[in-house]
Coordinates of all heavy atoms in Angstrom, one line a residue:
Y1 N 14.4 10.4 -13.1 CA 13.1 9.9 -13.4 C 13.1 9.5 -14.9 O 12.8 10.4 -15.7 CB 12.0 10.8 -13.1 CG 11.8 11.2 -11.7 CD1 12.2 12.4 -11.1 CD2 11.2 10.2 -10.8 CE1 12.0 12.7 -9.8 CE2 11.0 10.5 -9.5 CZ 11.4 11.8 -9.0 OH 11.2 12.0 -7.7
P2 N 13.6 8.3 -15.3 CA 13.7 8.0 -16.8 C 12.4 8.2 -17.5 O 12.4 8.4 -18.7 CB 14.1 6.5 -16.8 CG 14.7 6.3 -15.4 CD 13.9 7.2 -14.5
N3 N 11.2 8.0 -16.9 CA 10.0 8.0 -17.6 C 9.3 9.4 -17.4 O 8.1 9.5 -17.6 CB 9.0 6.9 -17.0 CG 9.6 5.6 -17.3 OD1 10.1 5.3 -18.3 ND2 9.5 4.7 -16.2
D4 N 10.0 10.4 -17.0 CA 9.4 11.8 -16.9 C 8.8 12.2 -18.2 O 9.5 12.2 -19.3 CB 10.5 12.8 -16.5 CG 9.9 14.1 -16.1 OD1 9.1 14.7 -16.9 OD2 10.2 14.6 -15.0
P5 N 7.5 12.4 -18.3 CA 6.8 12.7 -19.6 C 7.3 14.0 -20.2 O 7.1 14.2 -21.4 CB 5.3 12.8 -19.2 CG 5.3 13.0 -17.7 CD 6.5 12.4 -17.2
T6 N 7.9 14.9 -19.5 CA 8.4 16.1 -20.1 C 9.7 16.0 -20.8 O 10.2 16.9 -21.5 CB 8.5 17.2 -19.0 OG1 9.6 16.9 -18.1 CG2 7.3 17.4 -18.2
G7 N 10.4 14.8 -20.5 CA 11.7 14.6 -21.1 C 12.8 15.2 -20.2 O 14.0 14.9 -20.5
R8 N 12.5 15.9 -19.2 CA 13.5 16.4 -18.2 C 13.6 15.5 -17.0 O 13.0 15.7 -16.0 CB 13.0 17.8 -17.8 CG 13.0 18.8 -18.9 CD 12.6 20.2 -18.5 NE 11.3 20.2 -18.0 CZ 10.7 21.3 -17.4 NH1 11.4 22.3 -17.1 NH2 9.5 21.2 -17.0
R9 N 14.4 14.4 -17.2 CA 14.4 13.3 -16.3 C 15.3 13.6 -15.1 O 15.2 12.9 -14.0 CB 14.9 12.1 -17.0 CG 16.2 12.2 -17.7 CD 16.6 10.9 -18.4 NE 17.3 10.0 -17.5 CZ 18.0 9.0 -17.9 NH1 18.1 8.7 -19.2 NH2 18.6 8.2 -17.0
L10 N 16.2 14.5 -15.2 CA 17.2 14.8 -14.1 C 16.6 15.9 -13.2 O 16.3 17.0 -13.7 CB 18.6 15.2 -14.6 CG 19.3 14.1 -15.4 CD1 20.6 14.6 -15.9 CD2 19.4 12.8 -14.7
H11 N 16.4 15.7 -11.9 CA 15.9 16.7 -11.0 C 16.9 17.0 -9.9 O 17.5 16.1 -9.3 CB 14.6 16.2 -10.4 CG 13.5 16.0 -11.3 ND1 12.2 16.4 -11.0 CD2 13.4 15.4 -12.5 CE1 11.4 16.1 -12.0 NE2 12.1 15.5 -12.9
A12 N 17.1 18.3 -9.7 CA 17.9 18.8 -8.6 C 16.9 19.3 -7.5 O 16.0 20.1 -7.8 CB 18.8 20.0 -9.0
V13 N 17.0 18.7 -6.3 CA 16.0 19.0 -5.2 C 16.7 19.7 -4.1 O 17.7 19.1 -3.5 CB 15.4 17.7 -4.8 CG1 14.3 18.0 -3.8 CG2 14.8 16.9 -6.0
Y14 N 16.2 20.9 -3.7 CA 16.8 21.7 -2.7 C 15.9 21.7 -1.4 O 14.7 21.8 -1.5 CB 17.0 23.2 -3.1 CG 17.9 23.3 -4.4 CD1 17.4 23.1 -5.6 CD2 19.2 23.8 -4.2 CE1 18.2 23.2 -6.8 CE2 20.0 23.9 -5.4 CZ 19.5 23.6 -6.6 OH 20.3 23.7 -7.7
H15 N 16.6 21.5 -0.3 CA 15.8 21.4 1.0 C 16.1 22.6 1.8 O 17.3 22.8 2.3 CB 16.2 20.1 1.7 CG 16.2 18.9 0.8 ND1 15.0 18.2 0.6 CD2 17.1 18.3 0.1 CE1 15.2 17.2 -0.2 NE2 16.5 17.3 -0.6
L16 N 15.1 23.5 2.0 CA 15.3 24.8 2.7 C 14.6 24.7 4.1 O 13.6 24.1 4.3 CB 14.7 25.9 1.9 CG 15.2 26.1 0.5 CD1 14.6 27.3 -0.1 CD2 16.7 26.1 0.4
L17 N 15.3 25.4 5.0 CA 14.8 25.5 6.4 C 14.7 27.0 6.9 O 15.7 27.7 6.7 CB 15.7 24.7 7.3 CG 15.4 24.9 8.9 CD1 14.1 24.4 9.3 CD2 16.5 24.2 9.7
S18 N 13.5 27.4 7.4 CA 13.4 28.7 8.0 C 13.5 28.5 9.5 O 12.6 27.9 10.2 CB 12.1 29.3 7.7 OG 11.9 30.5 8.5
M19 N 14.6 28.9 10.1 CA 14.8 28.8 11.6 C 13.9 29.8 12.3 O 13.5 29.6 13.4 CB 16.3 28.9 11.9 CG 17.1 27.7 11.4 SD 18.9 27.8 11.8 CE 19.3 29.1 10.6
T20 N 13.7 30.9 11.6 CA 12.8 32.0 12.2 C 11.4 31.5 12.4 O 10.8 31.7 13.5 CB 12.8 33.2 11.3 OG1 14.2 33.7 11.2 CG2 11.9 34.3 11.9
Y21 N 10.8 30.9 11.4 CA 9.4 30.4 11.4 C 9.2 28.9 11.6 O 8.1 28.5 11.6 CB 8.7 30.9 10.1 CG 8.7 32.4 9.9 CD1 9.5 33.0 8.9 CD2 8.0 33.2 10.8 CE1 9.5 34.3 8.7 CE2 8.0 34.6 10.6 CZ 8.8 35.1 9.5 OH 8.8 36.5 9.3
R22 N 10.4 28.2 11.7 CA 10.3 26.8 11.9 C 9.5 26.1 10.8 O 8.5 25.4 11.0 CB 9.8 26.4 13.3 CG 10.6 27.0 14.4 CD 10.0 26.6 15.7 NE 10.1 25.2 16.0 CZ 9.6 24.6 17.1 NH1 9.0 25.4 18.0 NH2 9.7 23.4 17.3
R23 N 9.9 26.3 9.5 CA 9.2 25.8 8.4 C 10.2 25.2 7.4 O 11.4 25.6 7.4 CB 8.5 26.9 7.6 CG 7.4 27.6 8.4 CD 6.9 28.8 7.6 NE 5.7 29.4 8.3 CZ 5.2 30.6 7.9 NH1 5.7 31.2 6.9 NH2 4.1 31.0 8.6
R24 N 9.8 24.1 6.7 CA 10.6 23.5 5.7 C 10.0 23.5 4.3 O 8.8 23.4 4.2 CB 10.9 22.0 6.1 CG 11.7 21.9 7.4 CD 12.0 20.4 7.7 NE 12.8 20.3 8.9 CZ 14.1 20.3 9.0 NH1 14.8 20.5 7.9 NH2 14.7 20.2 10.1
L25 N 10.8 23.8 3.3 CA 10.3 23.9 2.0 C 11.2 23.2 1.0 O 12.4 23.2 1.2 CB 10.3 25.4 1.6 CG 10.0 25.9 0.2 CD1 8.6 25.5 -0.2 CD2 10.3 27.3 0.0
R26 N 10.6 22.6 0.0 CA 11.4 21.9 -1.1 C 11.3 22.7 -2.4 O 10.2 23.1 -2.8 CB 10.9 20.5 -1.2 CG 11.7 19.7 -2.2 CD 11.1 18.3 -2.4 NE 11.1 17.5 -1.2 CZ 10.0 17.2 -0.5 NH1 8.8 17.6 -1.0 NH2 10.0 16.5 0.6
I27 N 12.5 22.9 -3.0 CA 12.6 23.5 -4.4 C 13.1 22.4 -5.3 O 14.0 21.7 -5.0 CB 13.5 24.7 -4.4 CG1 13.0 25.8 -3.4 CG2 13.7 25.2 -5.8 CD1 11.7 26.5 -3.9
E28 N 12.4 22.3 -6.5 CA 12.8 21.3 -7.4 C 13.0 21.9 -8.8 O 12.1 22.7 -9.3 CB 11.8 20.1 -7.4 CG 12.2 18.9 -8.1 CD 11.4 17.7 -7.7 OE1 10.9 17.7 -6.6 OE2 11.4 16.7 -8.5
V29 N 14.1 21.5 -9.5 CA 14.4 22.0 -10.8 C 14.6 20.8 -11.7 O 15.4 19.8 -11.2 CB 15.6 22.9 -10.9 CG1 15.9 23.3 -12.3 CG2 15.4 24.1 -10.0
S30 N 14.1 20.7 -12.9 CA 14.3 19.5 -13.7 C 14.9 20.0 -15.1 O 14.6 21.0 -15.6 CB 12.9 18.8 -14.0 OG 12.0 19.7 -14.6
V31 N 15.8 19.1 -15.5 CA 16.5 19.3 -16.8 C 16.6 18.0 -17.6 O 16.4 16.9 -17.0 CB 17.9 19.9 -16.6 CG1 17.8 21.3 -16.0 CG2 18.8 19.0 -15.7

């Protein structure tokens, strides 16, 4: 995201799945 207002334009996005509860969650880290 070149225009990220925080200056942390590079994001690593993790996609998690709970097979027990059948849920999906996204984790995002920016640098």
Side-chain angles (χ1 to χ4, degrees):
Y1 295 105
N3 299 317
D4 190 310
T6 67
R8 295 180 295 170
R9 54 180 277 194
L10 300 178
H11 292 225
V13 186
Y14 300 79
H15 310 276
L16 306 184
L17 168 66
S18 169
M19 293 177 284
T20 300
Y21 299 111
R22 301 179 66 182
R23 297 171 174 174
R24 293 184 182 273
L25 170 67
R26 185 184 297 112
I27 298 293
E28 194 158 336
V29 178
S30 58
V31 294

